[in-house]
Amino acid sequence: MTPPAAHQPAIPMGVFRKLVATLTPEELARLPPDKLPENIPLDLVEDAPLYSRRTLESLILAANAYHLGRRLDLQDRYGDEVMAALDKSKVTGNTANVKIFHYKLEDLERLHSQWRADEEPIILERLGNGIRTLNALLLDVRAENSDTSMAAQLLRTRTVDAEHTETIQQAITELRTHSERIEGLLGRYFRLRLDIVRHEMHGKLQQISRLDQQAEVLREQIEHLRTELEQTQTLWRRTLKKNQTNHQADHLQSRISALVAEQRAREVSISENQLTLWLDALVDAALHPKTRQAMSGHQSDARVALYALLNRYCQQQEASAMQIARNPFLQVDPAQAIRFMLLSEQFILDYFSKKRNETTAWISDVAQVRSEDLDGLERMILGELKKSSRFRRRGG
């Protein structure tokens, strides 16, 4: 026989604990099993008054029998997928990934407020490390959000009997509330991360600007020495003054190598990982419903800084390749120095290709991000990037 449907919400666990502590055994026995919460913990019996324990044990057995029967009935009628979605709705809000992300985000927000007050560089560095820590949790949080959204979508599309409508609707509400809670956390994080990386990028550009003048002096010295080296290696000098020429060439090569090493030491390092992190911050903020409009000014500022840094990265790759081509005696591995893979357009194309694959894994119906949004953002970034002559195709 199918257990009757519960038309009223179950008694919350906290309320049930108070009832156990205050009601007499006779009053406890009159509580309907179908109104009791599921999975009543055993410690409740141990904490109950001695005179109520036997009644409470019987009541819990009856409640467990009711909930088990109802569960088997739901599973028999609607299948394992619906049952899994219903189970997921009962644990929303208690997941470790979201809790840890929430606590770390609050710590980061407090640190961010402190940095906004005094703008100490050491605090900005800590903020940068903090967002890298949260980025490591981001995939799990988004995956949970996606699972929650998919569970709600599954329940919405299933036709159920009238007696189970309330149960299904309540589960959908719980799942959607949990997804909205996660989206709220993500929106807060994306706002914070964009502001942090925006300042990181500007700091990197300022550092580059400070060292550029010194690097230009070194470049001129290297070019002057390279010209001298070419002059010593003319056929006439190699033939008539071979020993003197070889000695002079060795000396010039040694000086060029030392200046190139000094030049590299003064370069501001820009890595693929940094570029990807900065682009992630820009793209996620541009796509998320809670940040796409509110952060438009910061997004524009961040894009300009990112383009300048992409430009700089490519210049460094080209400069490394040119040094090897013009100074083959340098002890550098060409396979590591000549890296054309990450030149502007290709980097953006590869990035968005990977982003599309990721999107299918973490998208939620609450976020309402469509593939067209990602396509449009890619076209906009590529269009603005091509305005710089550095990023136009060779001969184009």
Side-chain angles (χ1 to χ4, degrees), residues 185-247:
L185 290 174
L186 291 175
R188 284 164 56 187
Y189 176 58
F190 293 154
R191 285 194 296 272
L192 181 67
R193 182 176 63 170
L194 183 64
D195 192 48
I196 292 170
V197 303
R198 189 169 62 93
H199 284 91
E200 271 190 344
M201 289 190 290
H202 280 297
K204 186 74 75 173
L205 288 171
Q206 290 170 5
Q207 187 182 11
I208 289 170
S209 179
R210 286 194 301 268
L211 295 177
D212 268 354
Q213 188 173 357
Q214 301 171 27
E216 179 61 21
V217 172
L218 292 173
R219 188 193 65 78
E220 291 175 355
Q221 292 175 358
I222 292 170
E223 287 300 307
H224 177 71
L225 292 173
R226 191 181 63 80
T227 301
E228 285 190 40
L229 181 60
E230 289 175 351
Q231 291 172 353
T232 65
Q233 294 175 334
T234 62
L235 179 61
W236 183 82
R237 288 179 180 271
R238 286 201 308 269
T239 303
L240 301 182
K241 300 181 180 180
K242 187 172 183 180
N243 291 336
Q244 180 182 348
T245 300
N246 287 341
H247 181 270

Side-chain angles (χ1 to χ4, degrees), residues 87-118:
D87 288 341
K88 187 166 187 62
S89 73
K90 295 170 185 174
V91 297
T92 55
N94 295 318
T95 54
N97 288 333
V98 175
K99 281 186 174 181
I100 293 171
F101 187 85
H102 188 189
Y103 294 147
K104 288 187 177 296
L105 176 58
E106 287 184 333
D107 290 341
L108 207 58
E109 287 172 332
R110 283 191 289 269
L111 188 61
H112 185 250
S113 297
Q114 182 183 344
W115 176 78
R116 293 294 295 270
D118 51 34

Side-chain angles (χ1 to χ4, degrees), residues 28 32 62 68 81 98 111 118 146 155 160 165 169 183 196 198 212 247 249 264 312 324-325 361 372 384 392 395:
L28 273 178
L68 177 60
E81 286 186 339
V98 175
L111 188 61
D118 51 34
S146 177
L155 294 179
V160 297
T165 299
Q169 287 301 322
E183 288 295 346
I196 292 170
R198 189 169 62 93
D212 268 354
H247 181 270
R264 285 183 180 148
R312 182 63 175 214
I324 291 173
E372 303 88 67
E384 294 186 21
R392 292 176 187 159

